[in-house]
Amino acid sequence: MKIHVRYFASLREALGPGEIVELPDIATLGRLRAELAARGGRYAEVLDRGRAVRCALNQVMSDEAAVVRDGAEVAFFPPVTGG
Amino acid sequence: MVRVTIQHEDFDVGREFDALHAGDGGVGAVVGFVGTVRGRDGGQPVQALELEHYPGMTERTIEAMIDVAVPRFGLHAARVIHRVGLLSAGDNIVFVGVAAAHRGAAFEGCEFLMDYLKTQAPFWKKETTPEGTRWVDARAADDAALARWGQTSDNGAAT
């Protein structure tokens, strides 16, 4: 299945604005994050456990247990600092 | 009335206050908050502030916050304007305004929306100081502010 992944703020600077990621099967947000971090290099640097990363699934703030389905839009970003 | 606007341009606070109660004789209180760019952060001069957001999610998130605030505080109207792009010290960043029958609900509704926005809306600030640029860190104090309303957030938490 295909997932549209987007990055914002410091993650965008490190990884670019986004990409399409192919996954063999339905996964959780946590699994997707782990797969991306497993690429190593900058991906590991910004997405590894212990880094403060928030995620959104289909534009709703979600936790890592959320289930990602084909065609989903997933975003990874640092804690928000608006206002 | 449009409730949420994300824009590069500045906003007119007086006009927003007027619009919040125009044509509604039941409104007896209008409260507004304006956030501005500090010229100093932790003693360091801030020369510029760049604001990034997540188009689409930002608007949806703030609309959902207003949907929660309106019945909770009995608001007659609410308006949020947030600027993005490159801003300078002293510039306006955000306007949150609400109208209600009485001042108590208006003060509370405005603060609730602001506390929500700080921890849930997808905006990110990057400061330019004489030492270079850096992303602003989230503050645990902002999560604590939201917790007063019985809403949990771990935005500022370490992981």
Side-chain angles (χ1 to χ4, degrees):
Chain A
M1 61 174 192
K2 284 190 168 131
I3 309 297
H4 302 264
V5 178
R6 305 181 67 178
Y7 306 108
F8 290 93
S10 52
L11 273 70
R12 175 185 52 73
E13 286 181 333
L15 306 176
E19 59 186 303
I20 291 178
V21 175
E22 296 257 10
L23 283 181
D25 216 340
I26 292 172
T28 61
L29 278 178
R31 170 80 191 284
L32 174 59
R33 176 178 170 183
E35 296 240 348
L36 290 167
R39 290 175 175 178
R42 277 181 296 185
Y43 284 89
E45 219 170 272
V46 299
L47 289 168
D48 259 350
R49 300 255 129 242
R51 299 299 304 245
V53 174
R54 303 289 170 256
C55 32
L57 174 58
N58 296 325
Q59 303 195 353
V60 175
M61 205 81 90
S62 302
D63 65 35
E64 295 206 338
V67 174
V68 183
R69 295 178 194 283
D70 187 35
E73 178 175 315
V74 171
F76 293 102
F77 43 79
V80 302
T81 55
Chain B
M1 177 178 153
V2 177
R3 304 194 302 181
V4 179
T5 308
I6 311 301
Q7 63 186 34
H8 282 80
E9 316 82 68
D10 198 7
F11 43 80
D12 181 334
V13 174
R15 202 172 62 194
E16 298 303 332
F17 266 84
D18 290 344
L20 277 163
H21 64 94
D24 186 344
V27 171
V30 180
V31 168
F33 170 85
V34 176
T36 61
V37 180
R38 269 185 295 276
R40 277 186 310 283
D41 196 9
Q44 263 203 331
V46 174
Q47 294 153 329
L49 190 69
E50 195 165 359
L51 267 142
E52 177 175 338
H53 79 121
Y54 183 170
M57 179 175 167
T58 316
E59 293 85 345
R60 285 177 58 162
T61 305
I62 299 172
E63 287 282 356
M65 290 172 196
I66 294 174
D67 285 340
V68 171
V70 165
R72 178 164 175 170
F73 300 99
L75 303 179
H76 287 226
R79 178 86 170 112
V80 175
I81 306 172
H82 206 298
R83 294 181 70 191
V84 292
L86 198 59
L87 303 177
S88 306
D91 282 354
N92 293 330
I93 303 175
V94 60
F95 175 81
V96 174
V98 303
H102 301 282
R103 72 180 183 283
F107 275 122
E108 285 199 316
C110 184
E111 192 165 24
F112 173 88
L113 280 174
M114 200 54 219
D115 287 342
Y116 229 124
L117 192 149
K118 290 287 284 188
T119 56
Q120 305 298 309
F123 292 101
W124 301 275
K125 288 190 182 112
K126 191 180 195 181
E127 285 177 348
T128 302
T129 71
E131 287 175 19
T133 60
R134 62 172 201 104
W135 291 98
V136 173
D137 286 330
R139 298 165 66 238
D142 290 329
D143 290 331
L146 187 68
R148 290 178 302 157
W149 306 102
Q151 309 281 327
T152 57
S153 164
D154 59 359
N155 179 58
T159 57

